[in-house]
Amino acid sequence: MRGAAGALVVCLTLMATSAGAVECRTDTFLGEIYTICEADPRDDDIRLFLEDDSGEIYGQFYAIDAALVSQGLELAFAMNAGMYHDDRAPVGHYVEDGQEKMRIITSAGPGNFGLLPNGVFCVRPGRADVIETSRFLADDPPCRDATQSGPMLVIDGALHPRFLKDGTSKYIRNGVGTSADGERVIFAISGAPVNFHTFGLLFRDHLQLPQALYFDGRISRLYAPDLGRSDLGFRLGPIVGITRPAR
């Protein structure tokens, strides 16, 4: 009995260790390689990061990781999460830990952000959702963290109406998609330049998500230590990350 009880303790310990752990993998779709990181907001600590306690822009994944040390935490995953101005301030709506730092933007405009419809990635206790901007305004969800970006990649199972199958604008792109119940969140970044149409198909057809949002291109970067990946480059604005107890 003692041996069986010991085995049970070990089993439960392993289950507790694996619970809440974002899982990252490489995947192939339509001949293109992607890195896919899947999280469950019921277990995973999904947060947005912009400034440290002194008001300085984090800008880099390692700066966030260093700041988490005092909390006994570390980053398990991170990527850039929305467009920003030259001073790294968010272009659109931004909320961090319940504090709004930028209002919602509803107007069309130049660039990808203004290619309506755009949307908001909203994190609430126990769920996370990609919500098209006009619906977000109507529903007014109580987001603990939120970042607005654009364009939407997938809206209610349909690709953005402006995407062209043979579009020639290709970049390394990253974004996020969510399930209807808000319990499945998948972040993706392409390994090579792709157009919007192909990137949207990844979320809709391969990952089978009804809502997906584009974060950015060209500057797209990923932190996935379990894959040995920590992309470097120019300082970023908003960053989405998932924390875990420091190892």
Side-chain angles (χ1 to χ4, degrees):
M1 289 295 293
R2 182 175 299 175
L8 178 60
V9 169
V10 171
C11 180
L12 291 174
T13 300
L14 289 173
M15 289 174 64
T17 301
S18 62
V22 59
E23 295 183 356
C24 293
R25 66 183 188 275
T26 56
D27 207 345
T28 302
F29 176 66
L30 296 178
E32 301 290 348
I33 296 175
Y34 297 88
T35 300
I36 307 295
C37 294
E38 185 162 355
D40 184 339
R42 295 169 297 178
D43 298 319
D44 292 315
D45 179 26
I46 305 173
R47 306 187 194 181
L48 286 167
F49 299 89
L50 181 63
E51 301 173 342
D52 63 19
D53 291 340
S54 66
E56 291 294 318
I57 298 291
Y58 283 115
Q60 303 286 355
F61 302 134
Y62 61 76
I64 298 171
D65 211 27
L68 289 170
V69 169
S70 63
Q71 303 174 46
L73 300 172
E74 65 181 12
L75 278 178
F77 153 87
M79 68 166 39
N80 54 294
M83 297 167 192
Y84 50 87
H85 298 290
D86 290 344
D87 64 356
R88 273 53 184 177
V91 170
H93 186 51
Y94 186 83
V95 177
E96 185 177 325
D97 196 20
Q99 300 297 311
E100 183 182 70
K101 300 191 177 184
M102 181 60 190
R103 69 188 188 284
I104 195 83
I105 301 296
T106 60
S107 57
N112 293 322
F113 182 91
L115 186 63
L116 303 185
N118 56 23
V120 179
F121 176 58
C122 167
V123 180
R124 290 174 273 180
R127 70 177 296 153
D129 300 273
V130 167
I131 308 170
E132 187 271 324
T133 296
S134 63
R135 184 179 299 172
F136 181 86
L137 281 171
D139 294 347
D140 192 24
C143 308
R144 188 201 68 214
D145 290 75
T147 181
Q148 184 183 15
S149 192
M152 288 284 288
L153 296 168
V154 184
I155 313 109
D156 296 333
L159 293 185
H160 191 289
R162 297 282 297 276
F163 291 173
L164 301 175
K165 183 177 181 179
D166 57 353
T168 58
S169 177
K170 296 184 177 183
Y171 294 101
I172 291 177
R173 303 183 187 274
N174 73 300
V176 60
T178 56
S179 59
D181 60 8
E183 296 177 357
R184 185 172 176 234
V185 181
I186 299 186
F187 303 92
I189 184 170
S190 63
V194 295
N195 64 21
F196 274 128
H197 186 271
T198 299
F199 198 44
L201 288 177
L202 171 78
F203 284 96
R204 189 191 70 175
D205 296 351
H206 188 57
L207 300 175
Q208 299 184 330
L209 297 171
Q211 315 291 339
L213 179 67
Y214 178 61
F215 275 154
D216 216 332
R218 289 186 290 184
I219 59 91
S220 298
R221 301 216 300 272
L222 174 70
Y223 179 80
D226 290 348
L227 295 181
R229 182 166 175 177
S230 181
D231 300 345
L232 297 174
F234 293 112
R235 295 172 73 234
L236 300 169
I239 293 171
V240 61
I242 295 176
T243 71
R244 66 186 175 196
R247 295 180 174 179

